[in-house]
Amino acid sequence: MKNPNGYGTVVKLSGNRRRPFAVRKTIGWNDKGHPIYLPVGYTKTREEGMILLAEYNKSPWDVDAEKTTLKSLWELFKEKKLPKKGKSSKASLNSAFGHCKKYYKMKYKDMKSFHMQDIIDNCGRGYSTQWAIKNLFGHLDKFALEIDIIDKSYSPLTTADPIPETKKKPFTDEEVDKLWKIKDKPWVDSVLIFLYSGFRISELLGLKTDNVDLEQRTFQGGVKSASGKDRIVPIHSKIFEFVKKRVEEGNKYLFSLNGKKLSSAKYYELWKVIMDELKIEHTPHECRHTFRSRLDSANANKVCIDLMMGHKSKEVGERVYTHKTVQELKDAIELITR
């Protein structure tokens, strides 16, 4: 069907291009009667192009690369793209942009990876904030490419401090208490589920609701090794209602965002918002370390600890999860009383 006059068009460009469909508006005619086009953006498919054209017609964008600074691009991104993000993602991106003041007035088309890296390196914060800034520029680059401000993305060339693996610092009792005080805020329940289950981030994000038995009050999940795969972990009584509520949402995965499986990258964004609010620095893996430490402190049975953690030991061997074994695990996990 032909678009209305003045609506714009989506045309496929020649050659082998990553985004072969050009979205453009006719804004006038030259002396020879040929149309003068305003490029709106480029897309991978015609369907994406039509969606972009519809969004532009609803509220036209100022895509003058010579006038678009980092700050003005952010304002446009905040208007056009940010409303589609989740609450936690919005908070993370807003917070990250606050560290970019040095380059607010710089034309975005002139920004290179070393400018972005300068912001990351000098933010004065830890790895979580650094990764949030890196993530911000990933979003801005993608948007700037879409509206033809830039023709090359530099954000993938930036680096941030690696997530610490060796320095495992368990949550203190006071920090756990702080989490319980804000338990009703978005995604705080996920941190508590981590703390009272001992799963790795890949294991819990990959846990399907079909593998949650609310009647028996158990999880069945785990990856990485033969001893850790599909292990049984009781659902601690303190987190049962959180788990029940998530299962009853009817999603395929226990942790879902807009009905879809949550990626680890997205979860780290959500995690950062919570850590920033409490003014603490922890990784999801430190929940697993905390779980083990609390069981040790409660003098839980060592075999039960290894079974729940998915660790191989001589005492565990090929032990089958009998009704007696599951009850032993439940008794052990409930030794965590705080």
Side-chain angles (χ1 to χ4, degrees), residues 19 40-41 52 55 61-63 68 72-82 108 136-150:
R19 293 175 297 136
V40 175
L52 180 60
E55 289 179 349
W61 307 339
D62 178 4
V63 292
T68 304
S72 62
L73 179 67
W74 165 253
E75 293 299 329
L76 193 57
F77 176 85
K78 193 161 65 169
E79 177 189 348
K80 302 297 180 182
K81 299 293 185 180
L82 203 60
Y108 197 79
L136 167 69
F137 279 112
H139 282 292
L140 291 180
D141 267 5
K142 183 178 179 181
F143 183 51
L145 282 166
E146 181 181 311
I147 60 177
D148 211 32
I149 295 295
I150 59 175

Side-chain angles (χ1 to χ4, degrees), residues 256-309:
S256 297
L257 186 63
N258 298 323
K260 297 180 180 179
K261 182 181 178 182
L262 185 64
S263 69
S264 58
K266 173 58 69 173
Y267 185 72
Y268 275 113
E269 290 182 34
L270 305 173
W271 176 274
K272 179 190 176 301
V273 173
I274 299 168
M275 296 298 108
D276 282 354
E277 177 169 348
L278 296 179
K279 294 181 173 55
I280 59 178
E281 286 268 356
H282 281 293
T283 67
H285 192 76
E286 287 174 337
C287 290
R288 178 171 166 83
H289 185 58
T290 304
F291 179 72
R292 171 106 204 195
S293 296
R294 297 177 90 188
L295 286 172
D296 282 334
S297 297
N299 295 315
N301 180 282
K302 301 301 181 185
V303 174
C304 288
I305 294 176
D306 283 337
L307 282 169
M308 288 188 284
M309 296 293 292

Side-chain angles (χ1 to χ4, degrees), residues 15-32:
N16 185 18
R17 301 167 185 261
R18 185 169 62 87
R19 293 175 297 136
F21 290 91
V23 183
R24 62 193 190 186
K25 290 272 289 186
T26 302
I27 57 173
W29 307 85
N30 62 23
D31 294 338
K32 295 182 179 180

